[in-house]
Amino acid sequence: MVPPPLALLLPLLATALAEPLRFVDCGSKDGSIQEVNVSPCPTQPCQLVKGTSYSINVTFSSKIESQGSKAKVYGEMLHVDIPFPIPEPDGCKSGIQCPIQKGHSYSYLNKLPVKSEYPSIKLIVKWELVDDQDQMLFCWKIPVQITS
């Protein structure tokens, strides 16, 4: 059995040890991405196992002021974006202290649940965060493989 204080540190340690991912910026206009982490994803393309939830951590700085933000996630196949539901699309409930201020850095934290009914397929995950004017704070893409 893991001692209680250590049990509390394990998730933080796993996040701290996560390797930054190589990603493609797909149109960050109102922000600048410093780092993208998906945990667990020890190698790329990320192997996403059905029935598992993955931690997403994006460190970015804002070039604008915004009262709020909203995430939009897609699975991109054959250059077609298929909406991918996430538990919490509100960026202000995902680690970002709102209102967003120009020149400040933020850590956006969310979960990517991979449902059991998803097909086993290779695709591109596209993750957008838009500001209160529907402009892109950040957009990144990574290749993934959904597996059983």
Side-chain angles (χ1 to χ4, degrees):
M1 184 168 152
V2 178
L6 185 57
L8 294 173
L9 290 176
L10 286 177
L12 294 174
L13 186 60
T15 302
L17 294 176
E19 286 291 316
L21 290 179
R22 291 182 309 278
F23 63 91
V24 173
D25 189 303
C26 49
S28 303
K29 178 182 175 228
D30 287 349
S32 179
I33 301 172
Q34 274 86 52
E35 189 172 280
V36 175
N37 285 299
V38 176
S39 182
C41 174
T43 61
Q44 284 185 266
C46 291
Q47 302 292 311
L48 303 183
V49 179
K50 295 177 192 180
T52 306
S53 191
Y54 293 81
S55 297
I56 308 296
N57 184 347
V58 181
T59 305
F60 74 101
S61 59
S62 178
K63 299 176 184 174
I64 52 91
E65 312 266 326
S66 181
Q67 292 303 307
S69 62
K70 181 180 176 189
K72 299 176 183 179
V73 182
Y74 305 93
E76 186 181 284
M77 292 182 291
L78 303 172
H79 302 288
V80 175
D81 290 343
I82 298 162
F84 203 93
I86 55 172
E88 183 53 74
D90 186 345
C92 299
K93 294 179 182 174
S94 303
I96 298 174
Q97 185 175 351
C98 292
I100 295 169
Q101 298 179 23
K102 182 178 181 176
H104 286 231
S105 264
Y106 297 92
S107 284
Y108 168 82
L109 308 166
N110 213 321
K111 296 282 185 194
L112 178 64
V114 180
K115 296 182 179 176
S116 300
E117 59 267 20
Y118 289 166
S120 294
I121 192 169
K122 287 184 180 181
L123 71 152
I124 305 291
V125 169
K126 178 180 176 184
W127 202 296
E128 303 175 348
L129 188 71
V130 296
D131 61 26
D132 57 9
Q133 302 297 309
D134 212 32
Q135 296 297 308
M136 208 83 73
L137 278 163
F138 66 67
C139 179
W140 54 270
K141 293 181 184 182
I142 59 165
V144 300
Q145 167 80 53
I146 297 177
T147 62
S148 297

